[in-house]
Amino acid sequence: YVTYLYLGTVTKQHSYTSVQVSADDQFVALQGSGPGFSNMVKLYSRKSKTLVADLTSTENVSSMTFSHDSKYLLTTTREGNLINSIEIFLTNLGFVYVWDVAERKCIQKYQDLHNIQASSIANSPQGLFQATGSTVNNITALTPFSRTESGFVNLYDYDKLIKTNFEPQTPIKAFKNLKTNANILAFNHDSQILAMASTEQNNSVRLVIFFFGFFHVNEINFVLRPICLQGQCSKISLQDKELME
């Protein structure tokens, strides 16, 4: 709802599932929800509170994030519902859109490898990496009664993604340490650690540690189901020995 204080009126707006604020505090992105709006992201000016643009994709938007420099808005999409059929492999593909905030247009779109029903996305603060999480990967989708690997997380070279136009992308590394929906991703402040988690299962938090080109995954003894890792992960560093061991 939007309340106009001077007029004393209240206007009901569309429903939204998430909100993101750009790092430079200039824009606010609202992820649409419901029939006719689930494939739309509304971009607002942070200062004037006015609508800047409607960013519309052909698939339903599942998650979004601004780039570290606020120049781009990245969204993941998914199409349709999961069914016990090989059609999942053909139709329910996860895509990533890269929107130029200044130009208000899509400059890149690629299929997220092994990703069906994309559920999360995160960019590292220094602009080094982009990570995407999925609900079900295409290997599992071909055998719907064996849902043992449904939490794929792909790690990409962010700079390479921005410089290529509508070309297939290959991740640097694919992690399958989670067995349920990988719907929470967050980098720490210096991009040396990626936290990935699932809200669908207890003890489902993993830390990916980047060390001179190598990747090491640590399992955290987190009994409860996580809800959000963004604020906590930003404070984690490689000096936290209890988490690293």
Side-chain angles (χ1 to χ4, degrees):
Y1 293 86
V2 176
T3 302
Y4 298 91
L5 298 179
Y6 292 103
L7 299 178
T9 59
V10 178
T11 303
K12 184 178 181 180
Q13 303 294 311
H14 304 300
S15 59
Y16 302 99
T17 58
S18 66
V19 58
Q20 291 286 333
V21 180
S22 60
D24 61 4
D25 204 31
Q26 295 298 312
F27 298 99
V28 176
L30 298 176
Q31 179 183 328
S33 176
F37 299 99
S38 58
N39 65 331
M40 182 183 301
V41 173
K42 288 186 174 293
L43 190 65
Y44 284 85
S45 168
R46 176 70 170 81
K47 294 183 177 180
S48 66
K49 309 297 188 299
T50 57
L51 180 64
V52 174
D54 286 329
L55 308 178
T56 306
S57 57
T58 56
E59 302 91 12
N60 297 329
V61 178
S62 55
S63 63
M64 61 181 179
T65 185
F66 279 98
S67 61
H68 67 289
D69 54 8
S70 303
K71 292 182 179 180
Y72 307 101
L73 177 69
L74 297 93
T75 61
T76 61
T77 64
R78 55 187 176 185
E79 183 64 32
N81 298 316
L82 295 180
I83 54 176
N84 292 333
S85 169
I86 197 172
E87 293 179 1
I88 300 177
F89 177 74
L90 300 175
T91 61
N92 292 312
L93 302 178
F95 290 93
V96 177
Y97 286 72
V98 181
W99 303 89
D100 188 310
V101 174
E103 298 293 331
R104 328 289 198 232
K105 65 178 182 180
C106 178
I107 63 170
Q108 166 71 304
K109 177 186 177 181
Y110 65 92
Q111 181 185 341
D112 191 16
L113 189 65
H114 302 311
N115 188 333
I116 297 179
Q117 297 285 318
S119 58
S120 59
I121 186 170
N123 286 336
S124 62
Q126 281 74 26
L128 300 176
F129 305 110
Q130 174 191 298
T132 55
S134 64
T135 302
V136 177
N137 63 72
N138 57 18
I139 299 175
T140 307
L142 293 178
T143 55
F145 297 103
S146 178
R147 299 285 294 277
T148 59
E149 295 182 353
S150 59
F152 255 65
V153 174
N154 287 329
L155 187 72
Y156 293 91
D157 183 327
Y158 173 79
D159 190 55
K160 182 180 178 181
L161 292 178
I162 298 301
K163 292 182 179 179
T164 55
N165 296 323
F166 297 93
E167 297 179 6
Q169 301 295 321
T170 302
I172 302 172
K173 183 73 174 178
F175 303 97
K176 50 182 180 179
N177 301 83
L178 296 175
K179 302 305 180 183
T180 53
N181 183 8
N183 55 359
I184 300 180
L185 296 174
F187 286 92
N188 75 323
H189 66 282
D190 57 7
S191 304
Q192 294 188 67
I193 300 174
L194 168 64
M196 51 188 185
S198 173
T199 60
E200 298 180 0
Q201 188 177 24
N202 294 345
N203 196 24
S204 57
V205 180
R206 305 290 184 272
L207 293 184
V208 180
I209 303 170
F210 311 122
F211 187 75
F212 294 104
F214 294 94
F215 305 94
H216 177 69
V217 181
N218 274 12
E219 179 176 335
I220 298 180
N221 187 15
F222 194 88
V223 179
L224 300 179
R225 297 189 184 185
I227 298 177
C228 177
L229 293 175
Q230 195 69 44
Q232 291 85 344
C233 184
S234 63
K235 301 175 183 179
I236 297 176
S237 69
L238 292 180
Q239 305 303 320
D240 298 325
K241 296 183 179 180
E242 292 184 359
L243 293 179
M244 300 304 107
E245 295 178 351

